[in-house]
Amino acid sequence: MRLRLSPRDVGVLVRATSRRGPTLAALAEAAAARFRDRTALVVGDRSWSFAELWRRAERLAGVWHRESLDGPRTVVVACEGAGLVVSLLAGSRLGLDVWLAHPGRVAALEHVIPDDALLVHEEDAPAWHRGPTMPAEQALARSDEEGGPLADTSRRGRLVLMTAGTTGTPVPHVARQFSVWGLRQLRSLHERIGIASTDTVLACWPLHQGNGVQLVAASLLTGATLVAAPRSRPHTRVRLLLERGATMLSGTPTQLGRLLDHLAETGETPPPVRRIVSGSEPLDARLVARLHDAWGPIVCNAYGTTETGTVTVASPDEVVAHPGTVGRAIPGTQAGIVGHPTGEQAEGRVWVRGAGRTIITDDRGRMDDGRLTILGRMPAGPDGD
């Protein structure tokens, strides 16, 4: 599905990008002008339009500029939902580096984040943090305050995502998903998966992870509605699919499998969706068969890394023919096997290129006719090097 932009849309995007660079702030400002009162984000029973998200981001940026940020600082966002989105956009609006962290793993950030960072958090503020703090609900409330004009900034902040943030010590990685490379990659991802402005996407991903951020950006680019449900139980996700009229479902194979288990246990009819996007874990043939039995051959399978963003996507037809594949590289990215020419049939350690960088992964894969299949993790030790 090609991303079609009217001359007006192109003009709005060009003007926003010229002011703010290829950043999330530019996408949000352009989305506010293009889609205005269309619903952008749904969290629980609350919703926000594209215009409101940008207005709140500008107001919160003004509050931070006046009260908390006496100079360029890092903003660490350790929350979910609208608090994350508005804080992320506010930091981008100010041209600051924004780090996204697991809200349940704040204690693990003590020796990771800058001492003077502004920390937006869900629970009580940690006693060890020396910089300013703000609860997520307070950030969202203060984003509704009227503020004075905020000057443009020539600074372009970085987006930093954490890896190993669930079990081990979080490690920061600059994502750079919204550089010139990142915008091209985002457009390619949209066209491979086929997100349309009329879509409502139920996201099971946490928004602080790379897949979640990509869905936020895709919504801002296309005008699709994003329903965030990262901590919801299967029965709640089924209800959201029905109540919100979701047309797309995105999550890990584990999350999709639990959703199928719930439907099987209750005997409920699977809510109608036109596309399912799986990623972050291996998608085996058995789960593919169950998803196809419930919804038909509408499953895409995506693969990438925190540093590069999504690099390959298997189309529904490829998933039908080759259930384990993660597909071919989307335009603007590459993938291959270490020690072999790009695209050559081979098996071994996987490397990927996206968002302007190349990463040698710890995954073992097979390249066959341009399609990548992930076979598991590389063994530890010299034999795996």
Side-chain angles (χ1 to χ4, degrees), residues 9-372:
D9 289 336
V10 172
V12 169
L13 282 166
V14 167
R15 287 191 293 273
T17 303
S18 66
R19 279 196 296 273
R20 317 205 183 282
T23 61
L24 273 172
L27 284 179
E29 182 181 31
R34 295 170 62 202
F35 309 122
R36 298 185 183 278
D37 296 329
R38 187 184 302 176
T39 300
L41 177 67
V42 177
V43 181
D45 296 328
R46 302 174 65 183
S47 62
W48 294 264
S49 70
F50 288 95
E52 184 179 6
L53 281 182
W54 178 239
R55 181 171 62 251
R56 284 180 175 272
E58 287 222 292
R59 288 175 175 174
L60 183 59
V63 169
W64 286 350
H65 182 68
R66 292 192 305 273
E67 300 179 10
S68 302
L69 304 174
D70 50 7
R73 292 181 187 259
T74 297
V75 178
V76 178
V77 183
C79 62
E80 275 292 340
L84 178 148
V85 175
V86 172
S87 297
L88 170 59
L89 295 179
S92 182
R93 170 66 179 85
L94 291 169
L96 303 177
D97 292 350
V98 180
W99 296 29
L100 300 184
H102 193 303
R105 297 277 295 156
V106 172
L109 301 176
E110 180 175 359
H111 303 295
V112 177
I113 66 175
D115 289 341
D116 65 345
L118 168 61
L119 175 62
V120 182
H121 55 91
E122 288 190 348
E123 306 297 337
D124 294 337
W128 52 260
H129 186 57
R130 300 176 184 176
T133 63
M134 179 174 285
E137 280 300 316
Q138 182 183 354
L140 199 56
R142 300 213 63 187
S143 72
D144 202 29
E145 296 181 5
E146 290 291 346
L150 190 63
D152 284 340
T153 175
S154 59
R155 193 172 187 274
R156 304 289 181 251
R158 301 173 300 172
L159 176 63
V160 178
L161 304 179
M162 302 287 189
T163 60
T166 301
T167 54
T169 300
V171 178
H173 287 281
V174 178
R176 294 196 300 182
Q177 294 191 48
F178 304 102
S179 61
V180 172
W181 294 289
L183 289 175
R184 180 187 177 194
Q185 189 172 337
L186 180 62
R187 177 172 179 167
S188 299
L189 177 63
H190 153 78
E191 292 178 349
R192 182 69 61 86
I193 293 175
I195 300 176
S197 62
T198 54
D199 277 318
T200 295
V201 184
L202 179 69
C204 301
W205 313 101
L207 297 186
H208 69 269
Q209 294 181 354
N211 288 313
V213 175
Q214 283 187 325
L215 284 177
V216 171
S219 174
L220 295 174
L221 179 65
T222 64
T225 298
L226 180 62
V227 180
R231 302 177 187 174
S232 300
R233 295 183 180 275
H235 71 272
T236 301
R237 289 172 176 157
V238 171
R239 176 177 60 80
L240 288 171
L241 285 168
L242 290 167
E243 291 182 354
R244 295 294 177 177
T247 55
M248 301 186 72
L249 171 62
S250 182
T252 67
T254 297
Q255 292 165 335
L256 297 174
R258 288 172 180 167
L259 196 63
L260 288 170
D261 291 343
H262 169 77
L263 293 172
E265 291 169 3
T266 62
E268 296 177 65
T269 300
V273 294
R274 71 174 190 83
R275 179 75 78 243
I276 296 173
V277 183
S278 175
S280 290
E281 300 171 4
L283 177 64
D284 62 39
R286 181 174 176 273
L287 181 56
V288 168
R290 293 181 66 199
L291 290 168
H292 287 175
D293 285 344
W295 281 288
I298 61 171
V299 180
C300 291
N301 194 17
Y303 173 76
T305 70
T306 298
E307 300 88 346
T308 63
T310 299
V311 171
T312 70
V313 177
S315 69
D317 288 344
E318 288 176 317
V319 171
V320 168
H322 310 277
T325 186
V326 292
R328 305 171 189 274
I330 62 177
T333 73
Q334 289 181 300
I337 304 299
V338 173
H340 298 270
T342 303
E344 180 182 78
Q345 183 169 339
E347 187 173 310
R349 188 183 293 272
V350 175
W351 65 265
V352 292
R353 181 174 297 133
R357 64 179 66 192
T358 300
I359 299 295
I360 296 176
T361 76
D362 290 327
D363 292 325
R364 183 174 184 83
R366 181 179 64 249
M367 186 67 70
D368 183 18
D369 192 27
R371 290 186 308 272
L372 177 63

